Amino acid sequence: MGDEVVVTLHGPAAYGWTPVEVVTGPLRVIAAETADGTVRATVRAVAAGAAELRSTSSFRVDRFGPQTRLWRLLVDVEPA
């Protein structure tokens, strides 16, 4: 608990990542940025438990292009 993790998702500039979000659990996004196909988020563990982070990437050039992709990260936060 109290630890911070930086998540960076890379991709071609033609794809755009949505901001990383905490779907469930004891994590909080404390900083985020997006630039040229890359998204970065710093998350902090605020309590013990299971958490899930998510983001999606979509093809920006053509809305009928490749399908949207889902990225997920499951995190277990243990007490100190």
Side-chain angles (χ1 to χ4, degrees), residues 9-64:
L9 304 175
H10 298 278
Y15 281 84
W17 286 103
T18 60
V20 173
E21 63 180 354
V22 177
V23 177
T24 185
L27 297 177
R28 300 294 175 262
V29 176
I30 58 171
E33 63 182 87
T34 304
D36 297 327
T38 300
V39 67
R40 178 183 310 243
T42 303
V43 295
R44 178 180 294 144
V46 295
E52 180 179 350
L53 301 172
R54 281 190 188 177
S55 181
T56 58
S57 67
S58 299
F59 191 64
R60 294 184 204 181
V61 179
D62 178 3
R63 66 184 182 142
F64 300 107

Side-chain angles (χ1 to χ4, degrees), residues 1 4-5 13 18 24 35 37 40 57 60 62 71-72 76 78:
M1 294 186 319
E4 295 179 2
V5 175
T18 60
T24 185
R40 178 183 310 243
S57 67
R60 294 184 204 181
D62 178 3
W71 173 87
R72 293 175 57 204
D76 287 317
E78 296 183 0

